[in-house]
Amino acid sequence: MMLRSVLLFACLLCCISGFCQDPLYPGKIPNSKNVTNEEEIKTSPGGDSLAYKVSIPTIQAFLPSKDKANGTAVIIFPGGGYHTLVLKREGSDMARSFNKLGVAAFVVKYRIPDDRTMDDKSIGPLQDAQQAIKTVRENAEKWNIDPQKIGVMGFSAGGHLAATVGTHFEEFYIDNKLNTSLKPDFMLLVYPVISFTDSFGHTGSRKNLIGTDQNKIRLFSNEYHISKTTPPAFLIHAGTDVVVPVANSIVFYQNLQKFGVSGELHVYSKGEHGFLTYPAFDEWFGRCTTWMKSKELIR
């Protein structure tokens, strides 16, 4: 009864902020402590919606009109350094852009790693990402989706999460009684955090996800987990990014090449983390959609 009340409160909170989402899990949230929900959603100076202290994960479906739907789906993980979630610019805005192309989109408000709310905070976001893929794939017929055209998209730390679910799909971190494939069919990684290594990894995301556990650095440095079965990937980054070095995208792309996995990498000569001033949205998203057309994911 308490869980249901908390879930209803979370949904109400989201609706007030324009993000009415459904609970990600149909029942008990795995790896979750029974604590008070302290989630906050704030508006940034730029007008974005930022979620903090997320302990109850949700998913919001954005479905294209039936006459436009082409069967492809993208599950979106907003960024925020595993400290917050940029829900609008890296979430609902992206979903609506995909809808215009006939692509179904699902924005995931995944849990923010926190020892207060989880038994093992390092796997909480990955559990939510796997559950999102499971949910979309098992409901593919209902949502008019091709179960073999379900991809993931992530920004910054959300890109790390997308890359993690794309390289760790052989191990289930959630209950999966139907043995549903948790492997995304493609990855769209936008200025992603890839590595947790000292040389070029993003130490802020690392600290928030794994704390001081040095044994988990390699586990969550996704460049080490690419194999010939890794799904194809599109990566885009600014070479002048001082928050998440472009080396993150470069090393991931190089290792895709090493294992013969299809990949495409675009690096801009200028621009900042978040693409706030450059490149323009139509520019980089146009390159993304061109790649998707080459993969016959959109017409």
Side-chain angles (χ1 to χ4, degrees):
M1 185 69 180
M2 179 179 178
L3 175 61
R4 178 177 294 180
S5 298
V6 171
L7 291 175
L8 287 174
F9 173 77
C11 186
L12 177 60
L13 180 62
C14 290
C15 287
I16 292 172
S17 302
F19 295 93
C20 191
Q21 302 184 1
D22 295 318
L24 183 59
Y25 296 90
K28 187 179 185 300
I29 302 170
N31 181 34
S32 182
K33 295 179 180 179
N34 186 21
V35 296
T36 302
N37 175 34
E38 296 182 355
E39 180 180 322
E40 298 177 75
I41 296 182
K42 300 180 180 180
T43 301
S44 71
D48 214 321
S49 292
L50 307 177
Y52 297 87
K53 300 180 182 179
V54 178
S55 61
I56 301 174
T58 60
I59 186 169
Q60 182 178 13
F62 292 79
L63 302 178
S65 60
K66 290 185 178 180
D67 61 311
K68 282 190 176 181
N70 56 34
T72 297
V74 176
I75 300 170
I76 302 171
F77 305 114
Y82 288 123
H83 168 68
T84 185
L85 299 179
V86 183
L87 291 177
K88 184 177 181 293
R89 182 167 52 85
E90 296 177 353
S92 58
D93 285 354
M94 284 305 314
R96 293 186 177 97
S97 294
F98 276 118
N99 283 175
K100 294 176 183 178
L101 301 172
V103 176
F106 300 83
V107 179
V108 180
K109 189 170 60 150
Y110 54 91
R111 283 174 286 176
I112 299 298
D114 190 336
D115 291 325
R116 185 189 69 85
T117 61
M118 283 175 269
D119 296 318
D120 182 354
K121 70 177 184 178
S122 71
I123 63 170
L126 177 54
Q127 289 177 309
D128 296 348
Q130 288 194 337
Q131 179 68 21
I133 293 175
K134 178 176 180 287
T135 299
V136 174
R137 190 158 273 139
E138 291 182 356
N139 288 279
E141 184 176 357
K142 180 179 76 172
W143 286 322
N144 195 25
I145 291 169
D146 183 337
Q148 296 183 339
K149 290 186 177 182
I150 299 172
V152 292
M153 182 183 211
F155 298 80
S156 193
H160 180 267
L161 181 55
T164 303
V165 79
T167 54
H168 293 69
F169 52 82
E170 292 182 349
E171 181 174 354
F172 297 166
Y173 288 84
I174 58 172
D175 288 336
N176 189 11
K177 295 181 176 60
L178 299 180
N179 200 33
T180 300
S181 172
L182 303 183
K183 176 182 175 180
D185 296 302
F186 59 93
M187 297 179 287
L188 308 173
L189 308 178
V190 187
Y191 39 86
V193 175
I194 293 295
S195 184
F196 279 174
T197 59
D198 289 333
S199 56
F200 57 88
H202 188 246
T203 56
S205 295
R206 181 179 76 186
K207 179 182 178 181
N208 289 332
L209 185 66
I210 66 174
T212 59
D213 191 340
Q214 297 294 305
N215 295 322
K216 291 185 177 181
I217 289 178
R218 188 177 181 91
L219 175 63
F220 288 105
S221 290
N222 293 312
E223 71 270 26
Y224 294 121
H225 302 286
I226 295 171
S227 71
K228 63 181 180 180
T229 61
T230 301
F234 171 89
L235 300 104
I236 197 159
H237 220 120
T240 50
D241 191 331
V242 297
V243 178
V244 177
V246 69
N248 282 266
S249 287
I250 292 173
V251 72
F252 196 82
Y253 175 77
Q254 288 175 329
N255 286 346
L256 290 174
Q257 294 288 293
K258 178 180 177 181
F259 286 94
V261 178
S262 176
E264 185 165 313
L265 169 64
H266 292 274
V267 178
Y268 290 98
S269 62
K270 66 176 184 177
E272 65 286 284
H273 191 69
F275 294 168
L276 298 175
T277 62
Y278 188 91
F281 175 78
D282 289 346
E283 157 61 27
W284 74 260
F285 189 60
R287 293 185 183 274
C288 176
T289 56
T290 297
W291 180 81
M292 293 178 71
K293 288 177 182 176
S294 76
K295 296 296 179 185
E296 298 183 347
L297 296 168
I298 56 178
R299 303 183 186 93

